[in-house]
């Protein structure tokens, strides 16, 4: 009998055919999961990029909530004055009629000090600060007390350098400093309707040089909001004379009056004088300097003659 021919054996269940069916099924489940994972990565990456951009622009001063510029760097202001209600800070100090603030506010003028005077007085700061300078971003030079930033500390300029001071500064430098101080004092008196003779120069009055170097000590952290009358009880009127130009010499470093929901800013311009009553009505700060170097002088006045200081002299 001829042998019968058999067909190919059937594959048992669980062999290759079934395995292929399972693989096909697994792929159909995995595909949507892979798409979701890829999409999640894209969303997370996009969110991180957006957050980084927000932080970057915020670090450039965009997080200050500034809604109004009181003085643009491109403006030349003969005078601008904004009156604000006085705080109660002055009530805890002795009052001097005809001087202690009854009218409070802030003013800006480009007509008090010339650009040339600002350039010349900046050279005084540069010469003095060339003798030292902070390890951090903020250095000061006080010609009255002699305080000079050196590293992480301060030295007395006159004692530390002795006779060398005579080769750094000239009598003309100190005369220019006195002339500028008198002009600022007169501008403040006129703006607030008081007698210039009732104002007394008070400490600390100093040059500042700020750059983008990271702060090394608390003295370098100039950007915190503060009230001058609280920090220095002798202050009744504060002024700043700017000696360099915003966006030409430095970035950041604008002066900001802090107000709820509507901060106001002053853009420094060489020769520009910004002045204000020193109480809580003028809470303020300085933005961090991001590049370049910002020069200014802080000049403060008290109505109390006991807090007065003399102009600095070379000899």
């Amino acid at each position: 009998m001829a042998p019968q021919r058999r067909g190919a054996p059937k594959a048992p269940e669980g062999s290759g055919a079934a395995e292929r069916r399972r693989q096909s099924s697994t792929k159909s489940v995995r595909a949507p999961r892979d798409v979701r994972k890829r999409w999640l990565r894209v969303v997370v990456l996009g969110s991180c990029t957006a957050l980084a951009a927000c932080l970057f622009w915020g670090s450039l001063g965009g997080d200050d909530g500034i809604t109004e510029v009181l003085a643009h760097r491109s403006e030349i202001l003969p005078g601008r004055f904004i009156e604000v209600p006085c705080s109660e800070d002055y009530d805890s100090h002795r009052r001097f009629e005809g001087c202690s603030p009854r009218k409070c506010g802030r003013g800006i003028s480009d007509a008090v000090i010339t650009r040339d005077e600002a350039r010349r007085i900046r050279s005084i700061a540069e010469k003095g600060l060339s003798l030292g300078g902070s390890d951090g971003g903020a250095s000061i030079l006080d010609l009255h007390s002699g305080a000079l930033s050196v590293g992480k500390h301060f030295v007395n300029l006159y004692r530390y350098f002795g006779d060398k001071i005579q080769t750094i500064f000239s009598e003309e430098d100190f005369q220019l400093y006195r002339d500028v101080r008198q002009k600022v004092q007169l501008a403040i008196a006129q703006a607030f309707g008081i007698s210039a003779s009732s104002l007394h120069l008070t400490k600390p009055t100093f040059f500042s040089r700020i750059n983008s170097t990271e702060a090394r000590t608390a003295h370098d952290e100039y950007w915190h909001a503060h009230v001058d009358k609280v920090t220095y009880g002798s202050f009744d009127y504060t002024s700043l004379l700017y000696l360099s130009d915003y966006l030409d010499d430095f970035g950041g470093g604008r002066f900001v009056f802090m107000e709820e929901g509507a901060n106001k800013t002053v853009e420094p311009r060489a020769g520009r004088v910004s002045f204000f009553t020193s109480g809580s009505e003028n809470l303020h700060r300085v933005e961090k300097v991001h590049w370049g170097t910002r020069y200014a002088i802080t000049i403060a006045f008290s109505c109390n003659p006991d807090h007065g200081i003399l102009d600095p002299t070379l000899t």
Side-chain angles (χ1 to χ4, degrees):
M1 226 176 124
Q4 294 180 349
R5 301 181 65 182
R6 297 180 179 176
K10 290 184 179 180
E13 281 300 309
S15 67
E19 184 65 24
R20 283 194 297 273
R21 285 195 299 272
R22 282 198 297 271
Q23 288 177 354
S24 176
S25 175
T26 301
K27 285 181 181 179
S28 65
V29 172
R30 185 184 300 155
R33 290 178 181 171
D34 290 343
V35 170
R36 286 198 296 271
K37 286 181 180 178
R38 285 197 297 271
W39 176 245
L40 181 61
R41 282 197 295 269
V42 170
V43 170
V44 170
L45 180 60
S47 299
C48 291
T49 303
L51 177 60
C54 289
L55 291 174
F56 173 75
W57 287 112
S59 71
L60 294 182
D63 60 345
D64 278 327
I66 295 170
T67 57
E68 182 180 346
V69 177
L70 296 183
H72 291 271
R73 71 181 185 111
S74 58
E75 292 181 282
I76 301 176
L77 298 174
R80 178 172 292 166
F81 186 83
I82 299 92
E83 189 168 352
V84 298
C86 291
S87 65
E88 297 179 355
D89 296 338
Y90 309 100
D91 296 339
S92 59
H93 296 265
R94 182 181 171 189
R95 280 194 170 274
F96 294 83
E97 284 305 317
C99 182
S100 295
R102 297 288 185 185
K103 171 186 176 182
C104 293
R106 54 195 70 149
I108 308 104
S109 177
D110 296 311
V112 178
I113 306 299
T114 68
R115 297 272 288 182
D116 181 62
E117 286 173 321
R119 176 189 58 78
R120 288 162 54 208
I121 204 163
R122 172 174 162 169
S123 73
I124 300 174
E126 290 171 335
K127 288 188 290 187
L129 287 164
S130 71
L131 299 173
S134 169
D135 286 344
S139 300
I140 73 161
L141 167 66
D142 185 336
L143 293 180
H144 300 268
S145 68
L148 172 69
S149 300
V150 177
K152 294 182 175 65
H153 308 284
F154 297 95
V155 301
N156 186 304
L157 169 83
Y158 303 114
R159 287 202 298 266
Y160 196 81
F161 294 100
D163 293 340
K164 184 181 179 182
I165 293 300
Q166 305 283 339
T167 66
I168 301 297
F169 301 114
S170 68
E171 182 53 46
E172 288 75 16
D173 290 334
F174 280 70
Q175 185 59 54
L176 174 63
Y177 184 91
R178 291 191 289 270
D179 291 344
V180 165
R181 187 271 302 164
Q182 289 169 355
K183 289 181 178 182
V184 172
Q185 183 172 342
L186 182 60
I188 291 173
Q190 290 176 339
F192 290 98
I194 59 179
S195 170
S197 62
S198 68
L199 292 173
H200 304 277
L201 187 67
T202 194
K203 63 181 179 181
T205 286
F206 56 91
F207 289 99
S208 60
R209 181 186 70 191
I210 304 175
N211 58 37
S212 60
T213 305
E214 183 180 353
R216 304 298 182 189
T217 71
H219 297 295
D220 300 317
E221 296 182 8
Y222 56 86
W223 53 83
H224 300 296
H226 63 279
V227 174
D228 289 344
K229 189 68 177 171
V230 174
T231 306
Y232 311 104
S234 62
F235 282 29
D236 288 307
Y237 299 91
T238 306
S239 71
L240 292 109
L241 167 58
Y242 298 109
L243 305 176
S244 48
D245 294 320
Y246 171 63
L247 294 185
D248 286 336
D249 299 313
F250 62 92
R254 294 178 296 179
F255 186 95
V256 182
F257 290 106
M258 308 292 289
E259 295 184 6
E260 186 176 354
N263 293 342
K264 310 294 192 301
T265 187
V266 175
E267 298 179 350
R269 183 179 188 276
R272 171 167 287 168
V273 177
S274 174
F275 55 88
F276 48 93
T277 45
S278 305
S280 299
E281 68 277 359
N282 283 314
L283 173 69
H284 61 274
R285 65 183 289 261
V286 174
E287 293 177 331
K288 288 184 179 182
V289 171
H290 301 296
W291 58 266
T293 305
R294 176 191 191 270
Y295 283 92
I297 314 175
T298 297
I299 305 174
F301 297 94
S302 177
C303 294
N304 188 340
D306 293 341
H307 292 149
I309 61 174
L310 298 175
D311 285 315
T313 58
L314 186 57
T315 55

